[in-house]
Amino acid sequence: NILRFIRYTNSSAISEVQAEPITRPSHLARSEIAFYDTAMIISPTGEINVAEIARRHELDILAHAQDSPQQPGLFVITDRREFREDEEPDAGERYLRALFQTAASTGVNMEVIRVPSPYDIPGAVTDANRNPDAHGILLPVPLSLELIKDIAQRKAKSDEIIGSIDPSKDVDGLLSVNLPATSEAASDVQRAVEQELGINEAALRVHVHGGHGHVGKGIVRHQEAKGHWVTTSDKTTPQGLTRVLFSNADVIHSATGAAESVTSRFFYQPNAVSGRKILINIGRGNRQSDGKLAGDFHPSTIEMAQQWGWSYTNRGLAVGKLATLLVMRRTVAARDLHPTFEERIPRLSAAHLLA
């Protein structure tokens, strides 16, 4: 399929990569962003309002959490130390605090179980698997297994620890049988934008940059299940081929975690980039200039998106906030799969009680 996008001028190497002109569906034709109704998913500049999407999730989760007298329970098991209030939190601690805030706003009881080392995690997971109050189990990754020098052995140990989670309680989607919450969050953003723009194309061209990572693989699997045509790239993909894939995609998910690495040079200019695009940032990393967290998209890419009337997410943590909400939604759903004995009693009819 890639061959229809590229032209080889040398049999042994790609000496030139050129995008072929593609007739785009009418609903993807370039147009000025005018006025939007009360949904407010897309701003006049094209930025996607993920906070609005998250707010809708939050209200829905809270309503479902209150459907039962049993409060949904999320157990987070980690070997990370607890930070003091006056300390600058690292990325892992920020994620835990974000989970706490989301749990509080959605009616989920979250408990953090801290263990001395990663080797104590399987025992704590086993206890949580058996605990009826633990409806969801989450392990902040990557696990701190730096003492294992061999990379293959380190990965095997990490997979072994993660594999001890009960699949029905794996609310973050760490197991291969489940979809990562961040992958689902990115697809939720895409679906909201499609609805806002009136896009009902059965098969879109979706490109996943960082498609070989855990989250990227989840996005690929989810998009393929929806019938979209999916391509992938990563930081090792030749620049010419990357430009072809970026330029010809209708939707681009970037999940490399390399801060501001996706520049405007990833796209052909100007004629091959015309047309509606949806740019969704998932990855986040530390900028080399000041060490602050930033998303994958470089400011030049955002400027291009605004110039061409594309829809985009700009903040690196936007999709991450939605992912924490989906963790809570899955925790509530897991509680509903395992009702308590007291909850099952009212469901019995009088005939059953008299029998």
Side-chain angles (χ1 to χ4, degrees):
N1 287 333
I2 296 301
L3 293 179
R4 81 183 185 90
F5 282 130
I6 62 179
R7 175 166 60 86
Y8 292 86
T9 58
N10 186 302
S11 58
S12 60
I14 301 177
S15 58
E16 181 183 358
V17 183
Q18 178 175 319
E20 295 181 1
I22 293 177
T23 303
R24 293 184 171 273
S26 59
H27 67 267
L28 291 175
R30 182 181 179 220
S31 62
E32 296 296 329
I33 293 183
F35 300 99
Y36 287 90
D37 296 330
T38 55
M40 296 298 293
I41 293 298
I42 304 174
S43 72
T45 63
E47 184 171 4
I48 301 168
N49 188 351
V50 180
E52 171 63 20
I53 304 172
R55 186 186 68 84
R56 300 176 187 182
H57 274 287
E58 190 172 56
L59 295 174
D60 186 51
I61 296 168
L62 180 61
H64 282 84
Q66 296 172 342
D67 283 345
S68 167
Q70 185 183 27
Q71 188 177 18
L74 173 64
F75 281 35
V76 178
I77 302 171
T78 180
D79 64 325
R80 298 175 183 271
R81 69 178 182 87
E82 187 171 6
F83 280 68
R84 299 192 309 270
E85 289 295 330
D86 59 341
E87 285 186 287
E88 181 67 24
D90 61 8
E93 184 67 17
R94 279 195 290 265
Y95 180 56
L96 285 180
R97 293 180 183 182
L99 284 171
F100 260 121
Q101 292 175 353
T102 308
S105 66
T106 54
V108 174
N109 177 47
M110 175 176 156
E111 295 186 24
V112 177
I113 301 172
R114 299 186 186 271
V115 296
S117 77
Y119 303 100
D120 298 303
I121 291 178
V125 169
T126 300
D127 293 340
N129 285 337
R130 298 170 179 170
N131 191 334
D133 294 326
H135 305 106
I137 300 173
L138 188 148
L139 304 182
V141 291
L143 302 175
S144 53
L145 296 170
E146 291 80 5
L147 293 178
I148 303 178
K149 300 303 181 183
D150 184 82
I151 296 178
Q153 292 181 3
R154 188 187 306 168
K155 183 180 184 306
K157 186 62 179 178
S158 177
D159 291 344
E160 177 188 340
I161 293 174
I162 292 172
S164 62
I165 303 175
D166 182 343
S168 68
K169 297 186 176 187
D170 174 32
V171 292
D172 201 22
L174 295 178
L175 300 175
S176 59
V177 296
N178 295 324
L179 183 69
T182 304
S183 304
E184 185 180 353
S187 296
D188 269 8
V189 173
Q190 177 184 330
R191 183 167 57 251
V193 175
E194 289 174 6
Q195 292 174 352
E196 178 84 356
L197 299 178
I199 298 174
N200 53 12
E201 186 79 3
L204 296 172
R205 291 182 291 250
V206 178
H207 182 69
V208 183
H209 189 49
H212 300 132
H214 178 65
V215 172
K217 287 179 179 178
I219 297 172
V220 169
R221 189 173 61 185
H222 195 234
Q223 295 294 323
E224 287 179 339
K226 293 170 65 177
H228 298 320
W229 179 32
V230 184
T231 56
T232 63
S233 63
D234 56 29
K235 290 179 283 188
T236 65
T237 304
Q239 184 179 15
L241 181 55
T242 301
R243 292 181 72 190
V244 171
L245 297 173
F246 268 69
S247 297
N248 287 285
D250 300 316
V251 182
I252 297 170
H253 294 266
S254 187
T256 64
E260 299 182 348
S261 59
V262 178
T263 69
S264 59
R265 298 178 62 185
F266 278 55
F267 301 86
Y268 283 100
Q269 302 180 46
N271 48 2
V273 298
S274 61
R276 174 74 68 190
K277 287 184 187 291
I278 302 172
L279 309 184
I280 300 175
N281 175 67
I282 302 143
R284 59 185 184 272
N286 296 98
R287 283 195 298 241
Q288 293 183 351
S289 58
D290 54 12
K292 293 184 178 180
L293 279 176
D296 285 5
F297 294 141
H298 190 269
S300 62
T301 300
I302 301 304
E303 183 179 350
M304 176 180 286
Q306 293 173 343
Q307 176 186 353
W308 287 94
W310 299 342
S311 304
Y312 63 91
T313 60
N314 192 13
R315 289 181 285 272
L317 299 177
V319 174
K321 168 62 177 176
L322 188 55
T324 62
L325 282 164
L326 290 173
V327 166
M328 303 308 157
R329 178 184 289 279
R330 293 176 178 186
T331 302
V332 174
R335 178 207 62 185
D336 295 341
L337 286 175
H338 306 285
T340 63
F341 178 73
E342 291 79 6
E343 289 180 292
R344 289 196 297 266
I345 289 179
R347 302 179 188 178
L348 298 175
S349 66
H352 284 101
L353 293 175
L354 294 174

